[in-house]
Amino acid sequence: MTIMEQGGGAPQAAPDLIKDTTTQTFVKDVIEESKRQPVLIDFWAEWCGPCRQLTPVLEKAVRNAKGRVKLVKMNIDHHPAIPGQMGIQSIPAVIAFVNGQPADGFMGAVPESQVNAFIDKVTKGVPAPGEPNIAEILAEAEAVLADGDAAGAAQIYAEVLALDSTNIAALAGLAKCYVTTGAIEQARQTLGMVPESKRNDAGVKAVQAAIELAEQAQSVGPVAELEQKVAANPLDHQARFDLATALNAQGKRSEATAQLLEIVRRDRKWNDDGARRQLVQLFEAWGGADEATVEGRKKLSTILFS
């Protein structure tokens, strides 16, 4: 049956977005295809009045989604095996498949607004063909920054923000680029664009910690002078604390960790547990997966629980 016959005059949709399937082609049309983008399967029958109401609404919504989702229709009278296996007992029934698995669904001839909301839900984060993939662009920016090109990464993050000015990962990433280049005030201004409700985002908190550490580093003095102070008096915990801050500003994470761990080992209570709290801030700024964070946490645990 054509779309015109089912939908009372709805125009034929592009075949790559909307198609009929059979028991034999179900795996290819629905399960395999859903590994590329979400697929809706519409179980219907010719005698079903609500089906004739829902189908054109589904087709319109799928076309409006511009390739983020596909629609596959199955006549349960002609092909009863699949709906039987899936426990479909009432039609119309629409099931969304994502990554090869049924993810959500609804029954009945629901209104257009509800269909649109359903499609928005199952296609969240899925770019339409030709649209930029934000997740891939963010991953590229992160890799560029990791390679030491803060300016290049900042440009990529700015491109993401041109598409989505409220993207939290891009705001945090751009702020991190500014911290890396020493533009602390610009970093702070960028983080200020993050809504209050998103301030607990891990990426945002990491950059906030990095900003605070960078500001501390501006007031502690040169590494060489601090090393001389510590060598002259190993019990000068403030000098050792400042040395750790300065070392971190130079990217010497393991060395900074070692100095703070030494304070914890010698005097856990110094400055209201300040050395341990500074370590926690360093770990937050570096990120949980950073090698220096992983090793530092292990060594801190050994000291604290020995």
Side-chain angles (χ1 to χ4, degrees):
M1 179 174 287
T2 67
I3 295 172
M4 288 286 288
E5 291 170 324
Q6 285 187 55
Q12 177 69 46
D16 60 329
L17 289 182
I18 300 173
K19 67 189 300 184
D20 293 290
T21 193
T22 66
T23 303
Q24 291 72 30
T25 59
F26 174 81
V27 171
K28 175 179 178 292
D29 292 341
V30 178
I31 296 179
E32 294 301 324
E33 191 65 28
S34 74
K35 296 176 182 178
R36 288 179 279 273
Q37 78 286 298
V39 175
L40 307 184
I41 179 159
D42 174 22
F43 293 106
W44 68 283
E46 295 178 24
W47 48 263
C48 170
C51 296
R52 291 194 295 273
Q53 294 176 348
L54 178 64
T55 296
V57 174
L58 277 173
E59 291 169 351
K60 178 183 176 182
V62 167
R63 285 192 295 271
N64 288 340
K66 298 179 180 178
R68 287 191 296 272
V69 64
K70 291 188 176 182
L71 175 64
V72 174
K73 297 173 290 184
M74 177 173 275
N75 185 319
I76 68 167
D77 287 339
H78 297 166
H79 306 284
I82 298 297
Q85 292 170 9
M86 294 183 63
I88 301 299
Q89 297 180 338
S90 177
I91 57 172
V94 177
I95 307 296
F97 276 73
V98 179
N99 294 323
Q101 299 288 334
D104 205 346
F106 65 86
M107 294 195 311
V110 301
E112 182 176 352
S113 60
Q114 191 170 330
V115 172
N116 288 331
F118 179 78
I119 289 178
D120 287 343
K121 180 181 177 183
V122 299
T123 62
K124 186 176 182 180
V126 178
E131 287 185 357
N133 188 317
I134 299 297
E136 290 182 0
I137 298 173
L138 288 171
E140 178 189 358
E142 189 173 343
V144 170
L145 182 57
D147 286 340
D149 185 2
Q155 184 174 354
I156 298 172
Y157 284 125
E159 292 173 1
V160 174
L161 291 170
L163 298 168
D164 177 7
S165 62
T166 62
N167 188 287
I168 303 303
L171 288 170
L174 182 58
K176 187 175 181 180
C177 293
Y178 286 138
V179 173
T180 303
T181 59
I184 305 303
E185 184 55 36
Q186 285 178 287
R188 187 179 293 281
Q189 290 175 3
T190 302
L191 273 197
M193 298 167 65
V194 176
E196 193 66 36
S197 61
K198 301 292 185 180
R199 294 292 171 88
N200 285 328
D201 177 86
V204 173
K205 291 178 70 176
V207 179
Q208 183 61 51
I211 289 174
E212 293 171 3
L213 289 165
E215 289 177 334
Q216 292 175 25
Q218 292 175 346
S219 62
V220 297
V223 167
E225 290 182 9
L226 293 167
E227 287 177 333
Q228 290 174 1
K229 285 185 178 181
V230 172
N233 181 10
L235 294 179
D236 187 345
H237 297 326
Q238 185 61 56
R240 193 181 293 276
F241 184 94
D242 292 345
L243 175 59
T245 302
L247 287 167
N248 175 63
Q250 292 185 353
K252 297 177 179 179
R253 296 181 174 182
S254 296
E255 293 91 332
T257 301
Q259 296 299 333
L260 292 170
L261 288 171
E262 184 64 15
I263 297 175
V264 174
R265 189 182 68 79
R266 288 173 178 268
D267 185 358
R268 168 71 189 276
K269 296 180 180 179
W270 176 78
N271 195 24
D272 193 22
D273 200 21
R276 185 197 63 78
R277 289 188 288 107
Q278 185 78 341
L279 277 167
V280 171
Q281 188 173 34
L282 287 175
F283 298 157
E284 186 172 61
W286 299 340
D290 188 274
E291 184 178 343
T293 297
V294 174
E295 289 301 313
R297 281 176 171 161
K298 287 180 183 177
K299 292 176 180 178
L300 178 60
S301 296
T302 299
I303 293 173
L304 295 179
F305 301 110
S306 61

